[in-house]
Amino acid sequence: MAGGSARGGGNCPPLFTTEKPTRTAAYAYRLFASTVLAGVLLVWLYRATQLPPRSSSARARRWAWLGLSVAELWFGLYWLLTLSVRWSPVYRRTFPGRLAQRYQEEQLPMVDVFVCTADPTLEPPMLVISTVLSVMAYDYPAEKLNIYLSDDAGSIITLYALYEASEFAKYWIPFCKKYQVEPRSPAAYFAKISAPPDACDRKEWFALKELHKDLTDRVNSVVNSGKIPEVSKCEPRGFYQWSENTSFTDHPSMVQILIDGNKRKATAVDGNALPTLVYMAREKRPQEHHHFKAGSLNALIRVSSVISNSPVIMNVDCDMYSNNSGSIRDALGFFLDEEQGQDIAFVQYPQNFENVVQNDIYGNPINIVNELDHPCLDGWGGMCYYGTGCFHRREALGGRIYSLDYKEDWTRVVRKTEDVRELEGMAESLVTCTYEHNTLWGIEKGVRYGCPLEDVITGLQIQCRGWRSVYHNPARKGFLGMAPTSLGQILVQHKRWTEGFLQISLSKHSPFVLGHRKIRLGLQMGYSVCGFWALNSFPTLYYVTIPALCFLNGISLFPEVSNPWFLPFAYVVMATYSCSLVESLQCSDTVVEWWNAQRMWLFRRITSYLLAAIDTIRGILGISESGFALTAKVSDLQALDRYKKGMMEFGSFSTMFVIIAAVALLNLTCLMFGVARVLLHEESTNLGAMFLQVVLCALTVAINFPVYEALFLRKDSGRLPASVSLVSLCIVLPLCILPISL
Ligand SMILES: *[C@@H]1O[C@H](CO)[C@@H](O)[C@H](O)[C@H]1NC(C)=O
């Protein structure tokens, strides 16, 4: 390994290990999966062979049956796809101690950290600078650490906040290092710790808390007034360069080196160096496409290439702070391992949330995804990249194809000039609107343009170029973000993702096309689990409506309890749900969280996925987007309070809520009147034939309990509005009253 360590190769202990579940566990799972597969095949066989005959008296039954067969066919196929994210999980562990032994501080590679923000109203500057401060305070040599903030709005307020943060950092970073403070986002730290810990000097601790309060007050008052104080205008060049008539969508490029780690004058109060801190706003003009976050990441790659050009790049969203000051050293264990690290392009950390409560009503603590799905993708050689909390190898992100003779130079230094003004000018010329015209940026180089979910595609493309990626999920979480805490926000977010994934799957970027012969089949399937989310919508909607309606009308669609064909149905359902419950418990979710997650699973499928599928179809047919989705509103205090009490947040009218309410009402009506009908008409012999439909209907009713609450019982402003109840009643009543002709 060039430069890094002369001891490369040979018999040094590895810097990370990979653990797999025991062989017995793996075989037990495979045996279990094959019994479920047998059940699925029998269900398909039943549907294929027992189709009701074509007769005028049972036309409705025949059609309902056919629909159900298609739904079951899809569920079975999709289940096969999901096997890929259960098959062979791997778990990674690093040894930062060995890294420290093998690499002296001055041998460590330089690291660039990219933080992106887009809108100072949605992402308040205090949130942004708390994240920036948390990454500036990483336990890493300051002269090797470079922080870049991309401000896509080009807002003077964000620059002002960052300037204030750079001043505050002179106190905050020495304080963190002196007392081993954790977490190193000052906002998170002071929110969590209300009294000085024993190790701290009381006076110092209170002085710093006061300083942080001052910072918060100053930044927030500037945010509120929209004007920066006159006195600070003479500080960084950027303030007086700002002209009155720039706007979020129309401004020149601007690069400001607020702290230059190379300059001795930029020191903290304890006399130690500070990490380099750079503000960047790329040029934006209304007539030029800016490619959203992908565009700003690519701009950051170029700007950083003339200022620090570190071989390792970490990127994080502005609402996700670092919760572990050791993460850089942790992640470097993967890249710097002489034996296994050569072909690792990126190390993805999971997404974890700070603001979720115990037994979260939205099933937000997505443990199952973090603890099982992602380790399985890793097991196939390619964790996906999801745009935040990820360490990249610059070369791989830049578009290099992996080859066996490739060796990284971890210690290269590129600083084109020592003159900061000249450097800024040079960097600015790299982020003009026209710079990327007729270049490979966004195609072969950097983050991909022109497709939804550009991060995922970028990761896939890197894997297709021969690189590997790993997933690292240490017990103490590396990054903490904010989960959406209202139903509308979650469903809208999922609709966007689902639509993006479906468009990828149907395009030439589909993992099966792009990854053909380049990545393993299991990984292609793993990507497609999300890729085909949307297609679950129609079968699920069918399953929670038609069998219930048929039950109401006395039409049986499943085998009777006494029929041997009943067994495969019962087995598949029981087996998959018990397995899912056990997995959830193993990933330290509670039963309530599991139950909540099942509800959200249903809601997402019948709303987000459905609307995503419809919008994609409209897109293909050339009809403009429906604009179905409601806009995510920032949750207010009352809503937050309701979230903490475990109440579901509806509140406004939206198509999504109408669908949810209609399905809930439909099942309730069908269950009540269907059971009444059986009892009144003493069709008790019929109940055996209806058993599975009754169970399905009853479970749908049970899981929708919070919806009935929001419809009938609650009085707060988060309940389902009357308009939603009315519209859903108008849909449900005709369906229930009109008899289905037998
Ligand atoms: C975040 O870091 C703190 C230490 O500051 C730790 O106690 C906590 O468990 C971490 N949070 C998570 C979710 O891992």
Side-chain angles (χ1 to χ4, degrees):
M1 179 164 302
S5 164
R7 280 149 291 189
N11 46 11
C12 346
L15 297 177
F16 73 95
T17 60
T18 303
E19 285 151 16
K20 292 182 180 176
T22 60
R23 241 160 209 247
T24 336
Y27 285 127
Y29 182 77
R30 285 165 203 194
L31 187 69
F32 165 77
S34 39
T35 63
V36 176
L37 178 63
V40 169
L41 290 175
L42 283 174
V43 167
W44 285 347
L45 189 67
Y46 169 75
R47 289 295 180 203
T49 54
Q50 309 287 314
L51 181 67
R54 199 190 295 270
S55 73
S56 57
S57 67
R59 199 179 307 137
R61 178 155 188 252
R62 192 178 155 91
W63 280 108
W65 178 290
L66 277 173
L68 220 51
S69 316
V70 174
E72 280 158 4
L73 183 65
W74 170 255
F75 288 148
L77 291 175
Y78 189 74
W79 174 80
L80 282 177
L81 211 55
T82 59
L83 280 184
S84 64
V85 286
R86 290 291 177 275
W87 210 245
S88 54
V90 299
Y91 302 92
R92 315 276 186 185
R93 204 149 58 87
T94 55
F95 303 100
R98 292 182 188 166
L99 183 81
Q101 274 172 10
R102 214 173 307 166
Y103 289 86
Q104 317 225 296
E105 293 288 281
E106 60 275 11
Q107 288 177 318
L108 289 172
M110 302 255 282
V111 174
D112 288 347
V113 178
F114 295 170
V115 182
C116 295
T117 179
D119 185 337
T121 41
L122 290 181
E123 300 160 344
M126 263 324 280
L127 177 85
V128 176
I129 63 172
S130 299
T131 301
V132 168
L133 284 163
S134 78
V135 294
M136 284 178 82
Y138 266 127
D139 169 28
Y140 204 69
E143 18 346 301
K144 305 231 166 206
L145 189 57
N146 308 277
I147 318 296
Y148 295 83
L149 175 71
S150 159
D151 173 21
D152 251 3
S155 153
I156 193 168
I157 308 223
T158 306
L159 175 58
Y160 170 79
L162 194 68
Y163 166 69
E164 288 286 347
S166 73
E167 291 295 308
F168 179 71
K170 293 178 181 166
Y171 301 87
W172 177 245
I173 293 175
F175 175 76
C176 286
K177 298 202 167 158
K178 187 168 169 193
Y179 296 115
Q180 315 287 312
V181 163
E182 293 287 345
R184 295 194 174 180
S185 149
Y189 176 75
F190 286 116
K192 215 187 232 169
I193 314 253
S194 49
D198 295 339
C200 281
D201 178 67
R202 282 183 69 82
K203 241 168 92 190
E204 214 178 328
W205 192 89
F206 279 110
L208 212 79
K209 189 176 161 85
E210 198 53 36
L211 213 56
H212 180 248
K213 190 170 168 299
D214 279 354
L215 169 77
T216 314
D217 291 346
R218 236 169 317 139
V219 170
N220 284 343
S221 83
V222 166
V223 169
N224 291 336
S225 70
K227 285 216 157 43
I228 63 165
E230 283 298 318
V231 278
S232 54
K233 280 213 171 135
C234 46
E235 277 295 340
R237 169 176 71 100
F239 289 146
Y240 55 82
Q241 210 182 44
W242 232 274
S243 100
E244 290 298 320
N245 46 20
T246 63
S247 73
F248 287 6
T249 51
D250 196 357
H251 54 78
S253 56
M254 163 95 58
V255 175
Q256 291 275 301
I257 302 180
L258 292 177
I259 301 178
D260 182 3
N262 282 18
K263 288 274 152 60
R264 282 291 115 199
K265 81 179 202 333
T267 48
V269 285
D270 62 354
N272 286 322
L274 286 172
T276 299
L277 179 64
V278 180
Y279 170 90
M280 179 205 81
R282 61 197 166 114
E283 185 185 17
K284 273 210 187 162
R285 300 294 175 209
Q287 69 276 14
E288 296 279 347
H289 203 311
H290 56 82
H291 302 293
F292 309 101
K293 188 173 148 193
S296 58
L297 280 174
N298 285 345
L300 283 171
I301 295 176
R302 292 195 299 273
V303 164
S304 63
S305 74
V306 292
I307 297 175
S308 49
N309 202 31
S310 308
V312 176
I313 292 174
M314 192 268 266
N315 94 293
V316 68
D317 280 349
C318 66
D319 60 352
M320 220 175 154
Y321 67 85
S322 150
N323 192 50
N324 183 349
S325 62
S327 292
I328 294 187
R329 290 174 195 267
D330 203 18
L332 284 181
F334 292 101
F335 292 121
L336 294 183
D337 188 283
E338 294 83 352
E339 300 285 314
Q340 324 161 61
Q342 289 292 343
D343 59 345
I344 294 178
F346 59 90
V347 179
Q348 175 72 60
Y349 278 64
Q351 224 167 355
N352 294 100
F353 303 117
E354 166 189 50
N355 58 332
V356 292
V357 294
Q358 182 76 18
N359 291 340
D360 173 285
I361 183 89
Y362 304 116
N364 258 320
I366 37 173
N367 284 336
I368 223 58
V369 177
N370 282 347
E371 309 293 329
L372 207 55
D373 290 12
H374 289 163
C376 284
L377 286 183
D378 193 356
W380 294 116
M383 172 60 191
C384 58
Y385 165 47
Y386 49 61
T388 179
C390 188
F391 288 82
H392 283 276
R393 186 190 288 265
R394 180 183 286 269
E395 288 286 317
L397 193 56
R400 178 189 271 275
I401 295 170
Y402 177 71
S403 63
L404 281 175
D405 56 356
Y406 167 72
K407 286 268 183 285
E408 181 76 60
D409 174 10
W410 291 112
T411 51
R412 60 165 179 234
V413 179
V414 177
R415 172 66 83 105
K416 294 266 164 24
T417 158
E418 281 309 313
D419 181 351
V420 172
R421 295 287 160 263
E422 203 184 325
L423 206 56
E424 288 175 348
M426 208 186 278
E428 276 169 7
S429 69
L430 299 177
V431 288
T432 58
C433 277
T434 50
Y435 183 84
E436 291 182 347
H437 288 180
N438 304 319
T439 65
L440 288 176
W441 284 98
I443 306 164
E444 294 286 321
K445 282 172 108 161
V447 183
R448 178 87 206 187
Y449 294 156
C451 43
L453 300 180
E454 60 288 275
D455 356 20
V456 178
I457 288 283
T458 304
L460 177 61
Q461 243 181 352
I462 290 175
Q463 287 153 5
C464 290
R465 291 194 200 108
W467 297 94
R468 204 152 61 93
S469 60
V470 297
Y471 173 63
H472 187 41
N473 182 16
R476 173 154 156 226
K477 302 307 172 204
F479 302 94
L480 292 183
M482 303 292 273
T485 52
S486 99
L487 185 63
Q489 284 174 5
I490 295 176
L491 295 180
V492 169
Q493 196 180 50
H494 263 93
K495 179 193 170 249
R496 215 179 49 233
W497 289 337
T498 311
E499 203 174 335
F501 274 125
L502 185 61
Q503 285 174 17
I504 292 174
S505 299
L506 300 178
S507 74
K508 62 178 194 295
H509 304 308
S510 143
F512 289 116
V513 177
L514 200 63
H516 182 62
R517 285 165 176 266
K518 298 205 175 98
I519 56 175
R520 294 168 73 183
L521 182 65
L523 186 57
Q524 297 174 13
M525 287 167 68
Y527 269 106
S528 305
V529 168
C530 306
F532 291 124
W533 269 344
L535 301 190
N536 284 302
S537 55
F538 295 107
T540 307
L541 190 61
Y542 192 89
Y543 232 80
V544 293
T545 50
I546 302 298
L549 276 174
C550 287
F551 168 55
L552 181 67
N553 288 280
I555 302 172
S556 140
L557 295 174
F558 292 92
E560 280 183 51
V561 181
S562 53
N563 187 330
W565 286 111
F566 175 82
L567 288 175
F569 280 92
Y571 178 71
V572 168
V573 172
M574 296 294 289
T576 47
Y577 276 92
S578 343
C579 176
S580 136
L581 177 60
V582 169
E583 282 171 354
S584 229
L585 294 178
Q586 274 175 350
C587 297
S588 62
D589 292 326
T590 62
V591 177
V592 179
E593 274 166 356
W594 177 79
W595 180 246
N596 289 344
Q598 299 308 307
R599 181 183 309 113
M600 286 307 293
W601 174 93
L602 174 67
F603 285 4
R604 281 200 303 270
R605 286 184 167 205
I606 60 177
T607 60
S608 314
Y609 295 5
L610 183 73
L611 299 188
I614 292 177
D615 272 352
T616 306
I617 295 170
R618 291 169 73 112
I620 292 170
L621 298 181
I623 311 169
S624 61
E625 288 250 325
S626 62
F628 268 140
L630 81 183
T631 47
K633 67 174 170 45
V634 183
S635 33
D636 57 52
L637 280 180
Q638 281 180 348
L640 202 61
D641 198 41
R642 286 195 287 271
Y643 165 70
K644 286 184 181 149
K645 285 189 195 142
M647 291 157 91
M648 227 170 212
E649 186 69 22
F650 297 95
S652 54
F653 182 89
S654 100
T655 320
M656 294 190 174
F657 297 163
V658 169
I659 302 176
I660 291 175
V663 166
L665 283 177
L666 180 81
N667 277 278
L668 188 63
T669 321
C670 291
L671 185 68
M672 287 192 314
F673 288 95
V675 169
R677 195 186 124 113
V678 169
L679 294 181
L680 286 180
H681 298 272
E682 285 172 1
E683 297 178 48
S684 50
T685 46
N686 235 343
L687 208 53
M690 295 287 182
F691 182 73
L692 280 177
Q693 272 155 281
V694 177
V695 169
L696 184 62
C697 200
L699 280 176
T700 315
V701 168
I703 208 153
N704 274 310
F705 184 70
V707 181
Y708 305 124
E709 238 182 357
L711 274 172
F712 306 125
L713 304 176
R714 281 166 56 181
K715 296 277 176 287
D716 57 90
S717 60
R719 69 174 186 276
L720 272 165
S723 50
V724 172
S725 326
L726 212 65
V727 176
S728 46
L729 266 182
C730 292
I731 299 173
V732 170
L733 278 186
L735 285 176
C736 292
I737 292 170
L738 293 177
I740 299 180
S741 59
L742 289 180

